[in-house]
Amino acid sequence: MEELDPKYVSFLETWNGWIHNITFVFVGIAALITSFYLVRLLFKRDPKAKHDFINSNEINMFWYAMLSLTVAGGLYLNTVANTYVQEEVMHFIVRLFITASFATIFGLIFNSLIKVYYPFTVNKRLNRLRHQPRINPSNGNKLKLVSEDEEDQYMTDEMIEDEARAAIDYDVWLDEETGYTKIEKYDGSSLAVECPSCGYRTLRVIEEQILRSPTVDEEGELEEFLSCSYCGHKERKIVVTHRLRAKTA
Ligand SMILES: [Zn+2]
């Protein structure tokens, strides 16, 4: 049996200690990403807010968590097969190379699973949230989802126009007792517009907030947050919505 180089052996001990620590850090990052996401989701009580939050965050969150775990796994493997690695420095490099290749392959597999197949699962849940009965906040009544044929009378001209362009879908929830309506907007994926920064059609509305709901006397105001998935450009836009038409009984 070949004699071991004591300097190299002690280097390996230090190496293993550090790699274990860094592995824990990456496992911790994955756990933090996941729990931060789940906690934020937990605080969204409104089904529509939940829907939008999942829609814009879950797939990325899942990917970053899996990426962290993949890095952790790849690092951890650099502490195994010690007896073999101790024999010569070349074995250390072989292990480094093999584990890096494995981590890359697993990373690529996870990436396509998450970006190609996982959306089906997410969409099922989004669909359930979209059709979950809404509640009137002022009296607790269950709202009824108005059918596509009847919803126009509750919508503004602009909403009707939006739907006609097929990029956006509005759901009208009606309290049949009081006439209160809750109107929710769903963006089709075709909604991406040209990004002023990179020029690609990858700028999408990622979040939206109603600053003022439209009434019969006054138009409403929406604040839109847009983000480009290609270059990361972000912008904010205030959109004025049409006032409601006086209802004809
Ligand atoms: Zn861009």
Side-chain angles (χ1 to χ4, degrees), residues 94-137:
V94 169
R95 183 177 65 182
L96 212 56
F97 180 76
I98 292 175
T99 54
S101 314
F102 266 109
T104 309
I105 290 166
F106 274 101
L108 290 173
I109 291 173
F110 286 140
N111 184 279
S112 48
L113 286 179
I114 291 168
K115 303 238 159 129
V116 179
Y117 296 104
Y118 190 59
F120 288 105
T121 318
V122 173
N123 284 342
K124 249 192 233 162
R125 281 165 47 220
L126 291 179
N127 227 0
R128 216 176 305 138
L129 280 170
R130 179 163 174 179
H131 294 102
Q132 180 181 322
R134 307 304 198 238
I135 303 292
N136 184 341

Side-chain angles (χ1 to χ4, degrees), residues 193-203 227-234:
V193 293
E194 197 174 308
C195 170
S197 169
C198 69
Y200 286 101
R201 270 191 107 72
T202 39
L203 187 69
S227 169
C228 172
S229 58
Y230 184 73
C231 73
H233 169 81
K234 283 187 172 33

Side-chain angles (χ1 to χ4, degrees), residues 106-189:
F106 274 101
L108 290 173
I109 291 173
F110 286 140
N111 184 279
S112 48
L113 286 179
I114 291 168
K115 303 238 159 129
V116 179
Y117 296 104
Y118 190 59
F120 288 105
T121 318
V122 173
N123 284 342
K124 249 192 233 162
R125 281 165 47 220
L126 291 179
N127 227 0
R128 216 176 305 138
L129 280 170
R130 179 163 174 179
H131 294 102
Q132 180 181 322
R134 307 304 198 238
I135 303 292
N136 184 341
S138 56
N139 58 16
N141 280 352
K142 253 191 189 168
L143 306 182
K144 179 190 148 223
L145 183 59
V146 178
S147 75
E148 294 281 327
D149 303 332
E150 295 162 34
E151 68 182 13
D152 275 14
Q153 55 181 306
Y154 304 102
M155 286 160 43
T156 63
D157 289 339
E158 198 189 357
M159 290 173 177
I160 294 167
E161 207 179 286
D162 275 350
E163 277 203 338
R165 286 202 314 254
I168 295 163
D169 217 5
Y170 289 94
D171 284 356
V172 179
W173 292 87
L174 172 70
D175 183 338
E176 289 176 296
E177 209 180 290
T178 65
Y180 164 86
T181 56
K182 186 172 194 287
I183 299 182
E184 296 175 350
K185 181 183 179 184
Y186 293 89
D187 302 329
S189 55

